[in-house]
């Protein structure tokens, strides 16, 4: 018997048993209370708490440089002298989202060398997850890094499930690539579901709202893009994961408080990066991991490491370390507002370069510009974040 049919049959059986167990007087009282469909409906959703969007509530402005590669992440083994280097970098804006899946692929390549000791170069999103997957596979792992969380670039990410964010160009999304991407995304998704409900809430599901001045079926007006670094077309890969996330729902004007004509509600996975990074670090050290503070400037320096198998998870740093000019920087800046625990929803305002992510360590307001692609400048632009917060404040005026 299928589970659905079993549950339906069980429900009917329980209903009949509950009525038979009542005596005549009790059944009369039950009837007097009315049929089940006359009972009060569920209470409506609670009103949304307003975001206190004020520039003087900004407590941090951070910039990260996403390592975009037109052909997608580099996950492959390379023989360098006596060592095998497994490259695992170039995930664009999908580093946290795909980290577990890409780490699984990289560690499989490391296990093929039959070495029991592994070096991981880099302590960001990809480095930490690669180290944890390797430990779970029985390897002894040492991380070599210049910085560790929260100083690493990936600590400045927005922290949302976005597995196809700037992952490759449309023309590079071959059937083989799509298959690998889907495998990585699904593997990562399953791993993240196992982290729900842990202390510190490293992973949460949050509702959010997409706001638009124009109907969602209409394209946004084209914006000016710098000629030196034109933004490429990206593939829509999340259609391959339609069974993993709830679909967005259109709302009527009475169902939301925002002063815009078109709104859809969605649900997304959010990473609270401070607690999540700490969880990864604690688990790594608990399982015998070691961290060596060391900056490497050339692959020739790998020979000085005692491990014969290495995973290179240096992200954007691989451009300088390896001279890999296929890595294109994509600048990303976020401002963090003072936390508001009552704000448990995200926002995206189409055409206004505004995105908001609710995290435990603060409300992240992302400031995007047309000049982000190809821009390696990591200097925070406070004025841009102030302007983004003011755009957000306009949604709550009055």
């Amino acid at each position: 018997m299928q589970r659905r049919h079993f549950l339906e049959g069980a429900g009917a059986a329980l209903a009949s048993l509950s009525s038979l167990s009542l005596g005549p007087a009790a059944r009369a009282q039950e009837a007097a209370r009315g049929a089940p469909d006359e009972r009060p409906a569920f209470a409506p959703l609670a009103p949304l708490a307003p975001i206190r969007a004020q520039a003087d509530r900004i407590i941090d402005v951070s910039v990260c440089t996403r390592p975009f590669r037109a052909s997608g992440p580099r996950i492959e083994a390379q023989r360098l002298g006596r060592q095998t280097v497994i490259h695992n970098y170039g995930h664009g804006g999908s580093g946290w989202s795909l980290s577990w899946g890409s780490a699984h692929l990289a560690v499989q390549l490391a296990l093929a060398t039959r070495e029991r000791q592994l070096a991981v170069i880099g302590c960001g999103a990809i480095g930490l997850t690669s180290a944890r997957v390797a430990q779970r596979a029985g390897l002894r792992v040492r991380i070599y890094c210049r910085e560790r969380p929260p100083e690493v670039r990936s600590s400045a990410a927005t922290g949302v499930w976005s597995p196809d964010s700037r992952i490759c160009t449309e023309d590079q999304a071959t059937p083989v690539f799509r298959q690998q991407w889907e495998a990585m995304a699904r593997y990562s998704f399953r791993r993240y579901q196992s982290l729900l409900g842990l202390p510190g809430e490293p992973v949460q599901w949050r509702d959010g709202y997409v706001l638009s001045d124009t109907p969602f079926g209409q394209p946004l007006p084209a914006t000016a893009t710098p000629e030196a670094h034109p933004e490429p077309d990206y593939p829509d890969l999340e259609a391959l994961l339609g069974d993993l996330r709830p679909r967005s729902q259109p709302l009527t004007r009475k169902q939301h408080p925002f002063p815009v004509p078109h709104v859809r509600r969605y649900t997304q996975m959010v990473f609270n990066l401070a607690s999540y990074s700490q969880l990864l670090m604690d688990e790594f050290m608990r399982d015998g991991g070691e961290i060596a503070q060391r900056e490497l400037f050339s692959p020739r320096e790998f020979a000085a490491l005692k491990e014969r198998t290495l995973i290179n998870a240096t992200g954007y740093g691989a451009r300088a370390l390896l001279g890999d000019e296929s890595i294109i920087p994509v600048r990303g800046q976020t401002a963090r507002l003072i936390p508001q625990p009552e704000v448990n929803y995200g926002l995206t305002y189409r055409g206004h370069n505004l995105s908001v992510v609710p995290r435990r360590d603060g409300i992240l307001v992302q400031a995007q510009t047309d000049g982000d692609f190809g821009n390696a400048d990591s200097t925070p632009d406070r004025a841009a974040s102030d302007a983004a917060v003011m755009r957000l404040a306009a949604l709550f005026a009055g």
Side-chain angles (χ1 to χ4, degrees):
M1 179 183 293
Q2 294 184 5
R3 177 175 173 81
R4 178 173 61 84
H5 295 159
F6 171 78
L7 292 175
E8 291 174 351
L14 288 172
S16 62
L17 285 173
S18 63
S19 62
L20 288 173
S21 64
L22 298 174
R27 286 199 294 270
Q29 292 177 0
E30 182 74 11
R33 282 197 291 265
D37 57 289
E38 296 177 6
R39 294 172 183 168
F42 286 109
L45 295 175
L48 298 179
I51 297 175
R52 297 175 63 185
Q54 301 164 211
D56 61 0
R57 290 178 62 82
I58 295 176
I59 55 177
D60 181 61
V61 177
S62 299
V63 177
C64 68
T65 309
R66 307 179 188 94
F68 170 72
R69 296 180 79 239
S71 57
R74 184 184 182 188
I75 307 175
E76 62 181 7
Q78 179 185 18
R79 189 71 181 177
L80 291 179
R82 66 180 182 88
Q83 294 171 311
T84 300
V85 179
I86 292 97
H87 298 290
N88 187 14
Y89 66 85
H91 297 71
S94 301
W96 283 109
S97 300
L98 293 178
S99 58
W100 291 105
S102 64
H104 175 71
L105 294 179
V107 170
Q108 292 303 306
L109 294 174
L111 292 173
T113 68
R114 299 187 179 277
E115 293 286 337
R116 306 311 298 171
Q117 294 187 346
L118 175 71
V120 173
I121 314 300
C123 198
I126 304 300
L128 276 174
T129 47
S130 296
R132 288 297 297 135
V133 172
Q135 285 180 317
R136 291 163 67 93
L139 301 184
R140 184 172 181 83
V141 184
R142 178 185 286 112
I143 293 176
Y144 295 91
C145 60
R146 181 187 64 184
E147 299 168 327
R148 62 184 72 185
E151 287 80 22
V152 294
R153 293 174 187 264
S154 53
S155 291
T158 53
V160 297
W161 168 255
S162 55
D164 68 345
S165 172
R166 291 187 171 97
I167 191 64
C168 70
T169 58
E170 175 67 47
D171 61 324
Q172 294 289 331
T174 64
V176 172
F177 178 87
R178 289 172 181 268
Q179 183 178 19
Q180 184 186 66
W181 175 88
E182 182 179 0
M184 289 192 296
R186 290 183 178 276
Y187 186 97
S188 297
F189 185 87
R190 289 194 301 271
R191 185 72 182 94
Y192 280 123
Q193 298 318 289
S194 71
L195 301 178
L196 292 168
L198 294 182
E201 297 183 292
V203 179
Q204 294 175 291
W205 281 96
R206 293 292 200 186
D207 283 347
Y209 299 85
V210 182
L211 316 182
S212 182
D213 298 325
T214 59
F216 286 102
Q218 295 182 10
L220 294 173
T223 58
T225 302
E227 295 182 1
H229 298 287
E231 190 96 7
D233 292 328
Y234 304 107
D236 180 12
L237 299 174
E238 286 208 38
L240 300 173
L241 308 177
D243 58 314
L244 295 186
R245 63 189 307 174
R247 298 178 181 177
S248 64
Q249 300 175 334
L251 302 180
T252 66
R253 185 63 188 88
K254 294 182 179 180
Q255 293 177 305
H256 68 83
F258 303 108
V260 297
H262 307 283
V263 176
R264 296 184 71 93
R265 184 172 58 215
Y266 61 89
T267 304
Q268 70 176 1
M269 194 158 53
V270 175
F271 313 133
N272 291 304
L273 294 185
S275 58
Y276 178 41
S277 297
Q278 189 62 53
L279 171 68
L280 293 176
M281 290 285 287
D282 290 346
E283 289 185 340
F284 174 72
M285 301 303 292
R286 179 202 65 195
D287 289 349
E290 301 176 38
I291 296 180
Q293 205 81 15
R294 184 166 183 171
E295 184 174 7
L296 301 173
F297 298 93
S298 166
R300 292 190 297 272
E301 297 181 46
F302 293 166
L305 308 180
K306 70 175 185 178
E307 294 83 4
R308 296 174 63 90
T309 300
L310 295 71
I311 291 181
N312 169 33
T314 49
Y316 181 70
R319 179 182 173 95
L321 177 63
L322 305 178
D324 187 351
E325 296 187 0
S326 70
I327 299 177
I328 299 175
V330 181
R331 189 179 190 277
Q333 176 170 304
T334 58
R336 190 151 45 97
L337 299 174
I338 295 173
Q340 287 182 250
E342 71 277 13
V343 175
N344 57 4
Y345 60 91
L347 288 176
T348 298
Y349 197 177
R350 295 177 72 228
H352 292 263
N353 290 330
L354 181 62
S355 179
V356 178
V357 180
R359 291 196 338 210
R360 291 173 58 87
D361 60 343
I363 300 173
L364 263 67
V365 181
Q366 188 170 18
Q368 300 171 315
T369 67
D370 289 332
D372 287 341
F373 189 83
N375 187 351
D377 185 4
S378 59
T379 305
D381 182 354
R382 177 58 189 253
S385 287
D386 285 353
V389 170
M390 290 301 97
R391 290 196 298 273
L392 176 62
L395 296 174
F396 298 93

